[in-house]
Amino acid sequence: MATATTRRRVLALAVGGLATLAASRLPANTLETADRVVVRKGERRLYLMSGERVLRSYRVALGLTPKGPKRREGDFRTPEGEYRVIGRNANSDFFLALHVSYPGPDDLRRAAAEGVRPGGQIMIHGLPNRPRKPLDYYLTRDWTNGCIAVSNSEMVDIWLMTPNNTPIQILP
């Protein structure tokens, strides 16, 4: 029986292999690189942008309490503001994960003034690697602790098209 670590390593290798295979079989201009990500929480949409042009658009699931900006750790809200992709995790509990730079300086100041912890570990990610609910649950409702979630196939596109340090604008 494979351990969780072994399964994650196999998954990471598979994703890397798929990315390499896709890149080698697709024309060079098929997957453009996004120069920014825009999330419109009210629309439940994530847009990969190049200038003013939408490269891709995806339906997203947000935190369990989707209205309003993240105020503190454990509030189940998705932040609002200007952030960046600051890293990636192929060994996440979810299918691939891009780390969002929350909390930013403004979030830290606000949290300190309110005497609360701002929270962290906000990601753009796919579905859980060990789902606890039926697939329909994850595809039709807000279910994260504050992250931005998409389907696994969409996450592969986002992973490949969004380099580190890409700006992310999260709007109400």
Side-chain angles (χ1 to χ4, degrees):
M1 181 177 238
T3 66
T5 302
T6 302
R7 283 191 295 272
R8 285 184 176 154
R9 285 184 182 146
V10 168
L11 176 63
L13 289 171
V15 168
L18 287 173
T20 301
L21 179 63
S24 68
R25 293 181 181 256
L26 295 173
N29 63 355
T30 301
L31 282 178
E32 293 183 70
T33 300
D35 60 20
R36 67 188 165 101
V37 176
V38 176
V39 176
R40 295 187 178 276
K41 289 172 50 175
E43 295 175 14
R44 300 300 189 278
R45 302 297 295 178
L46 179 150
Y47 300 94
L48 296 183
M49 306 293 296
S50 177
E52 294 305 310
R53 190 166 51 95
V54 175
L55 300 175
R56 301 273 198 291
S57 172
Y58 306 103
R59 186 194 179 288
V60 298
L62 303 171
L64 290 166
T65 310
K67 291 191 180 183
K70 184 161 194 62
R71 306 298 295 170
R72 62 178 175 75
E73 183 175 65
D75 66 5
F76 298 104
R77 289 188 175 163
T78 301
E80 296 173 3
E82 305 286 330
Y83 304 99
R84 292 191 170 275
V85 173
I86 59 169
R88 37 192 81 230
N89 185 355
N91 296 315
S92 167
D93 289 338
F94 302 91
F95 183 76
L96 303 178
L98 296 178
H99 192 181
V100 176
S101 64
Y102 177 88
D106 292 341
D107 303 304
L108 292 170
R109 278 191 290 280
R110 182 203 32 77
E114 294 175 7
V116 298
R117 295 168 66 154
Q121 295 301 308
I122 300 299
M123 309 279 179
I124 299 171
H125 60 67
L127 302 178
N129 291 328
R130 293 179 183 232
R132 294 191 174 119
K133 308 255 185 201
L135 179 61
D136 185 59
Y137 175 86
Y138 298 108
L139 298 178
T140 60
R141 27 176 77 93
D142 293 315
W143 57 269
T144 76
N145 289 341
C147 293
I148 299 159
V150 295
S151 74
N152 291 351
S153 61
E154 293 166 340
M155 193 59 219
V156 171
D157 284 352
I158 295 167
W159 181 275
L160 293 172
M161 295 175 69
T162 309
N164 286 346
N165 207 34
T166 300
I168 302 171
Q169 183 180 34
I170 305 175
L171 303 169

